[in-house]
Amino acid sequence: MATPSQWIAGARPRTLPAAVVPVAVGTGVALGYGGAVWWRALLALFVALALQVGVNYANDYSDGVRGTDDERVGPMRLVGSRAASPRQVLAAALGCFLAAAAAGLVLVVATGAWWLLLVGAASIAAAWFYTGGSRPYGYRALGEISVFVFFGLVAVAGTTFVQLERLPWPALAAAVPVGLLSCAMLVVNNLRDIVTDGPAGKRTMAVVLGDARTRTLYALCLLLPLVISLALAPWHPFAALGVLAAPLAIGPVRAVRAGAAGPALIATLQQTGRFQLVFGVLFTLGLAL
């Protein structure tokens, strides 16, 4: 029986900025248009967090039963470490998805936008089939594309829409840097696991691109959001506040470009999450002003 601390570790709390930042930025856009609805924002945050934890448990389950995590370098996995049974971890993942669906349904009813049911269903399907099912797309170098879409475009635009009940263009523009930073988290994670994923048959984008090009991709995912925040300044001058987070990008980019590998990239993952969170706060503030 896994301990509570092991369940928390299995939820991978360091990845949670990928759920928090899109909701914050989407709410920042809504604030800028004078239409923020706080209880809807909080429900959107709950949905995002439940999906993030759910996909982490689902990946733990699917990779664990496939044996992909048997020689894992990164943080512990519940199934791979035998701390919890596959059935328990699967139940935890499905419980998170059910909680996200219930909260999302409240937002659907509140907005009357029933097409959001399709968006929610697609989000849960994307979370499960990343490593689940017989043909997981995460094993086909499509993980970063899915993260960009669902933890960037969908999460930011969706958060703005459920509050304003319309979708101004800044919500879509702001979703791009947010999606890129979520991709950076996955890229550095897969870079760390590149030596074990390849032999296990998990063809992540890092495995396909190779070590050197994956490091370049990581740097681009971390630095382009700074450029985009500046590019938005003619329409939203304070969006450029995001650039103030630039010093926090120096360390992880330097480490990755210098060849950090294996356990050394765990610290880089933490630094990436910190940069993502600080950029998100500053960017949110700039869009709200």
Side-chain angles (χ1 to χ4, degrees), residues 74-87:
M76 71 156 287
R77 291 290 186 98
L78 292 162
V79 176
S81 67
R82 310 297 190 268
S85 70
R87 185 174 181 176

Side-chain angles (χ1 to χ4, degrees), residues 4-17:
S5 63
Q6 287 175 320
W7 279 106
I8 292 172
R12 304 183 69 189
R14 293 192 183 102
T15 67
L16 296 185

Side-chain angles (χ1 to χ4, degrees), residues 48-86:
L49 287 170
L51 286 174
Q52 179 69 65
V53 174
V55 74
N56 288 339
Y57 282 145
N59 291 346
D60 190 310
Y61 166 78
S62 297
D63 284 342
V65 297
R66 284 190 172 88
T68 308
D69 287 339
D70 288 349
E71 303 296 332
R72 184 170 176 81
V73 177
M76 71 156 287
R77 291 290 186 98
L78 292 162
V79 176
S81 67
R82 310 297 190 268
S85 70

